[in-house]
Amino acid sequence: MSGFERGTDGPKVIVAGVDGSASSLRAAAYAAGLARRQNARLALVYVQPVLPPGAALGAPVVEPTDEIADSIAAEIKESAERVRATWQVRWEFHTLRGDAYTGLVTAADELTADAVVVGASESAGHRFIGSVAVRLVKAGRWPVTVVP
């Protein structure tokens, strides 16, 4: 079997996709527990959607997604501060732009992730184009955990 193997026991980098949805926040909490138990670094990744030109008919579209990223980062930082005395997790927050699947793949590759954790899709549209979780599993490049 060829491919990259870090040669360590357990994951050293865990990527968790967050988008502010309840399932993604549960995925982040689950990933934080994994990172704590494995003494791994947790990389929380928010992928800002890029809307096609003219989608907002002249209304600014970058500001709302920037606000969402700032809000998610603030919520995560606040949660981390509340549990700091209970357990330590090395974590970082990354924001990328694009579609969620490509952004998570890019982040996982660049960070040399050992595992990816995402929330289950809450969108009916995934039936037509496939959920991010299913696409990550089909990529077969990392263990993927889908949190309901």
Side-chain angles (χ1 to χ4, degrees):
M1 179 174 163
S2 65
F4 177 79
E5 183 175 335
R6 190 176 293 217
T8 61
D9 290 334
K12 294 298 175 194
V13 178
I14 299 170
V15 167
V18 293
D19 63 6
S21 67
S23 67
S24 78
L25 297 176
R26 285 190 297 271
Y30 182 85
L34 287 176
R36 177 186 57 81
R37 288 186 296 279
Q38 297 291 331
N39 194 30
R41 180 169 42 114
L42 174 62
L44 300 167
V45 177
Y46 170 63
V47 182
Q48 294 180 359
V50 176
L51 300 177
L57 300 174
V61 294
V62 174
E63 291 175 21
T65 57
D66 287 342
E67 290 172 12
I68 292 169
D70 292 344
S71 173
I72 292 171
E75 185 175 338
I76 291 166
K77 288 176 185 175
E78 182 181 307
S79 296
E81 287 300 320
R82 281 197 308 263
V83 297
R84 175 185 254 176
T86 306
W87 44 273
Q88 300 270 327
V89 173
R90 295 176 295 130
W91 66 277
E92 54 199 39
F93 185 79
H94 300 268
T95 301
L96 295 101
R97 291 190 181 198
D99 72 275
Y101 170 77
T102 302
L104 289 172
V105 167
T106 299
D109 283 344
E110 289 178 0
L111 297 166
T112 317
D114 296 301
V116 177
V117 180
V118 293
S121 175
E122 295 180 355
S123 169
H126 75 266
R127 291 185 192 116
F128 300 107
I129 58 172
S131 71
V132 171
V134 168
R135 292 171 68 196
L136 288 167
V137 169
K138 286 182 177 180
R141 292 162 62 182
W142 324 266
V144 177
T145 302
V146 182
V147 177

